[in-house]
Amino acid sequence: MHITIIGAGLGGLTLARVLHVHGIAATIYEADASPQARSQGGMLDIHADTGQRALQAAGLQEQFRAIIHAGGEASRVLDQHGTVLLDEADDGTGGRPEVPRGELRRILLDALPAGTVRWGHKLTAITAMDDGRHLVHFAHGATATTQLLVGADGAWSRVRPLLSNAQPAYSGMSFIETYLHDSDRRHGASAQAVGAGALFALAPGKGIQAHREPDGVLHAYVALSKPEEWLASIDFADAPGAKARIAAEFSGWAPALTALITDSDTPPVPRPVHALPIDHRWHRVAGVTLLGDAAHLMAPAGEGANLAMFDGAELARALAARPGDAEAALLAYETALFARSSAAAAESQRVFRLCFGDDAPHSLLDFFAQQQEAV
């Protein structure tokens, strides 16, 4: 069977790697011109029950352990005045070690046979053929025919319409991404506020979240409950003006926190939060399926990348377990996927409300306390 994967994100790469472990070839088509074409984002906490299981299926546990950011599981919760409400150190027993997303992607890429990823292939159209195969068209004129097409192409998937009419809807919340570099020397107060790992400074309808990355980088996501029109009204090409506009929403907050906006060493980048319906699913369509955000885009709560990798591993194992019967494999994979993703999406939505609802930040503190009791 010829397997075509659209998208070289973590989910698509995990699928290709676990297929390779089982002796099954696949081709990934990726719109980016190269692995270095754009930044891969910040830190990811890799969960024992999903992301780590996927890496185990991929045979990459040793490489994964080598890129863990020591101390990255530390957490701090502050109120808007900078008062520390929770300060938990990373003692190495948390089960969700932090790694740089770009490094995680690199070890997956390095574990694939040369030529598996075809860079610079932007998908523009898909034609369904009578025999269950699909013809995929790319922007530069090339085409490819495949017996199994997997959409691992993210929130705005071009593969999803073959299966579902669902479109991501705006959540009502937007993030604005900033970076402070060489923070211990140049941004000492903010570095101290963030601490060794993750920072959550929250209030109803807004918040400043940040994480310490290797080499003293502070990576922040500023959250605001605003209409899409409000975000669109900001000229992000005018970085100083955009930072001032966003910081004005945090008037009266501790300077060490607002500096994560005003002192950003990079222009602020808007990241409106969208999600698919919690119970998103589709009827079986021959020769095509989805994984990751293409299948179950949800509010960001630490699950997205982990689920994408787990999806990839589970799909590969389903195909390997049923040689010659891809449709049975896809049915088994999707049946488990729908139950898993709807539960995760509901939980992500709940955590999102805890972070930015009327009782923030105390609702998040209660959540952390419940997590500790469960352990």
Side-chain angles (χ1 to χ4, degrees):
M1 168 168 285
H2 187 266
I3 300 174
T4 293
I5 304 165
I6 305 298
L10 296 177
L13 292 171
T14 302
L15 170 59
R17 168 60 188 177
V18 180
L19 287 171
H20 176 64
V21 167
H22 288 280
I24 302 171
T27 303
I28 302 176
Y29 293 96
E30 168 57 48
D32 286 348
S34 74
Q36 296 79 34
R38 58 191 173 92
S39 170
Q40 293 303 306
M43 306 298 291
L44 291 173
D45 54 322
I46 304 302
H47 303 176
D49 58 344
T50 49
Q52 291 183 49
R53 285 175 61 188
L55 289 167
Q56 183 176 13
L60 296 172
Q61 305 97 306
E62 183 177 345
Q63 294 90 330
F64 163 67
R65 287 192 290 268
I67 63 170
I68 289 174
H69 178 46
E73 284 190 85
S75 296
R76 308 188 92 207
V77 178
L78 276 61
D79 68 12
Q80 63 195 63
H81 306 297
T83 303
V84 178
L85 305 176
L86 176 73
D87 192 353
E88 290 187 344
D90 178 4
D91 62 3
T93 64
R96 295 186 172 192
E98 297 275 347
V99 301
R101 180 189 284 265
E103 286 296 287
L104 184 58
R105 190 190 196 209
R106 177 187 58 77
I107 66 175
L108 286 164
L109 283 168
D110 289 349
L112 292 174
T116 298
V117 182
R118 308 287 175 85
W119 301 100
H121 282 69
K122 181 179 180 181
L123 178 66
T124 55
I126 306 168
T127 303
M129 305 173 75
D130 292 339
D131 56 0
R133 294 183 302 160
H134 289 84
L135 178 66
V136 291
H137 306 257
F138 300 101
H140 57 292
T143 61
T145 303
T146 183
Q147 293 169 287
L148 175 53
L149 177 65
V150 182
D153 50 341
W156 306 102
S157 171
R158 288 183 173 271
V159 180
R160 189 192 299 125
L162 294 173
L163 299 167
S164 167
N165 292 324
Q167 287 290 321
Y170 180 56
S171 67
M173 183 72 67
S174 286
F175 288 176
I176 298 94
E177 186 178 19
T178 65
Y179 283 90
L180 274 63
H181 297 146
D182 193 12
S183 63
D184 293 308
R185 186 178 67 86
R186 299 178 55 239
H187 308 286
S190 295
Q192 185 175 4
V194 172
L199 161 74
F200 303 90
L202 307 173
K206 64 181 67 176
I208 299 174
Q209 303 168 95
H211 207 291
R212 178 182 287 270
E213 298 184 358
D215 302 319
V217 172
L218 301 182
H219 183 187
Y221 283 100
V222 180
L224 285 166
S225 177
K226 292 286 187 181
E228 286 184 284
E229 296 77 17
W230 181 88
L231 195 68
S233 72
I234 299 175
D235 180 8
F236 282 92
D238 173 14
K243 287 190 282 189
R245 178 87 176 271
I246 297 158
E249 298 294 324
F250 294 86
S251 176
W253 284 48
L257 298 175
T258 56
L260 290 163
I261 306 167
T262 58
D263 292 357
S264 176
D265 293 309
T266 60
V269 178
R271 306 285 188 194
V273 177
H274 292 80
L276 286 166
I278 286 176
D279 60 350
H280 180 237
R281 57 190 61 207
W282 54 87
H283 296 294
R284 176 92 289 284
V285 173
V288 60
T289 193
L290 305 172
L291 63 79
D293 284 350
H296 47 66
L297 179 68
M298 60 189 69
E303 295 292 345
N306 283 279
L307 286 176
M309 295 168 65
F310 191 69
D311 292 349
E314 290 295 282
L315 175 54
R317 291 198 286 202
L319 291 165
R322 299 165 179 82
D325 195 349
E327 284 306 303
L330 294 178
L331 179 60
Y333 160 72
E334 290 177 353
T335 300
L337 169 75
F338 296 150
R340 178 173 67 244
S341 62
S342 61
E347 178 64 6
S348 292
Q349 189 178 86
R350 184 176 79 91
V351 172
F352 210 60
R353 287 197 299 264
L354 293 177
C355 288
F356 307 112
D358 292 341
D359 198 32
H362 303 289
S363 47
L364 183 63
L365 292 170
D366 292 342
F367 173 75
F368 283 151
Q370 292 167 7
Q371 297 292 100
Q372 285 296 107
E373 290 175 6
V375 174

